[in-house]
Amino acid sequence: MPVLRNDTLSQRNLALTPELHTYLLAQGRMTPDPLLAELIERTRETVPDQAHMTVAPEEGALLTFLVRLLGAVRVVEVGTFTGYSSLCLARGLPVGGSLTTCDVSAEWTALAREFWARADVADRIELRLGPALDTLRALPAGPHLDLAFIDADKPGYIGYWEELVPRMRPGALLLVDNTLFSGEVIDEHPGEKAAAVHAFNEHARRDDRVELIMLPVADGLTMARRLPSGEIAA
Ligand SMILES: C[S@@+](CC[C@H](N)C(=O)[O-])C[C@H]1O[C@@H](n2cnc3c(N)ncnc32)[C@H](O)[C@@H]1O
């Protein structure tokens, strides 16, 4: 990996205190609305030990924003859980748009289905239960997707990426969550999941089919634009 001297870089990287986070959400108009707030609460009650898996409110707002910005019509998500990010993605879709979302848990996604219905977006979401790799492999092979969001088991990331990149139309956006993995990606002896995320980061960084950036949003968000054939990544 290229080495940069950290003292030559801007030091304006903020650690968000809870108070500053609240301010950010309010000023950025990203505070969860009552339905999303209820979904967060129900997730905490139903699966208390896994509730941290829900994307952060600012990330959910960013997903809606990006779907709208791109005018995305065909969207895929890997990792539904209780449906927070799917709801945010679906809210950005135009009439006729569709989101295919994959998970293995019928139990967790039952809560998702309830909230999609209440948010009036159930008609544009298709949930496919089963290993995501099988679901992705069953999608049409050609470039037809406008946006994809990967947020599932970390050792699966490279496989999901490899199935998705050829299916993204030129200019489409691939988003990958948790790519800083609580900072553990730079540990000398990372845990299994952090090591898998680091391996994914290295894999994606070398992929010249995309232009890629990584942002310190929530737990780290990688954004990759699928290049038209012939365009070279900067
Ligand atoms: C981090 S959570 C997703 C959180 C979700 N995006 C949200 O904002 O609520 C990861 C999800 O991936 C699912 N998952 C794990 N392994 C999977 C696999 N092989 N195929 C499909 N889904 C998988 C888990 O069941 C879990 O619901």
Side-chain angles (χ1 to χ4, degrees):
M1 189 165 50
V3 177
L4 275 178
R5 273 183 44 210
N6 189 263
D7 58 0
T8 64
L9 306 176
S10 163
Q11 294 301 310
R12 285 187 173 274
N13 294 316
L14 282 176
L16 284 182
T17 61
E19 295 75 20
L20 196 55
H21 189 216
T22 304
Y23 178 88
L24 170 88
L25 294 180
Q27 296 300 327
R29 296 200 266 172
M30 300 182 293
T31 305
D33 68 13
L35 192 69
L36 287 174
E38 192 184 332
L39 175 54
I40 292 171
E41 211 35 58
R42 287 279 302 282
T43 300
R44 282 193 189 129
E45 285 164 17
T46 317
V47 262
D49 52 337
Q50 302 292 337
H52 63 275
M53 295 206 297
T54 301
V55 294
E58 61 271 33
E59 193 173 1
L62 180 64
L63 293 177
T64 309
F65 187 92
L66 289 172
V67 171
R68 287 203 185 113
L69 183 70
L70 252 79
V73 175
R74 274 174 292 272
V75 177
V76 165
E77 174 183 61
V78 184
T80 318
F81 189 42
T82 57
Y84 190 102
S85 51
S86 333
L87 209 162
C88 294
L89 290 163
R91 276 184 169 170
L93 288 170
V95 174
S98 69
L99 165 67
T100 302
T101 181
C102 325
D103 209 287
V104 282
S105 171
E107 185 195 336
W108 293 343
T109 54
L111 196 55
R113 287 187 197 275
E114 178 191 327
F115 278 78
W116 298 338
R118 290 176 56 191
D120 234 356
V121 293
D123 59 339
R124 51 192 101 148
I125 302 180
E126 187 194 347
L127 171 63
R128 298 204 186 164
L129 283 177
L133 207 53
D134 295 346
T135 300
L136 297 179
R137 284 179 179 152
L139 294 174
H144 65 288
L145 299 175
D146 301 310
L147 186 144
F149 178 52
I150 301 176
D151 183 21
D153 53 310
K154 308 315 166 200
Y157 271 25
I158 292 177
Y160 303 145
W161 175 268
E162 283 305 312
E163 291 304 321
L164 283 166
V165 171
R167 291 178 167 85
M168 307 307 293
R169 64 158 180 78
L173 189 62
L174 257 155
L175 302 164
V176 187
D177 200 22
N178 307 110
T179 48
L180 292 176
F181 209 76
S182 309
E184 232 191 283
V185 281
I186 57 167
D187 281 3
E188 207 176 324
H189 303 291
E192 190 192 338
K193 289 181 185 174
V197 171
H198 176 61
F200 165 76
N201 289 338
E202 287 291 302
H203 183 83
R205 184 169 65 81
R206 293 195 172 94
D207 192 332
D208 58 10
R209 296 169 297 179
V210 298
E211 176 187 12
L212 178 146
I213 60 168
M214 229 171 138
L215 295 175
V217 175
D219 195 29
L221 180 67
T222 292
M223 301 175 66
R225 182 177 72 95
R226 175 76 160 105
L227 294 172
S229 51
E231 194 180 326
I232 307 292

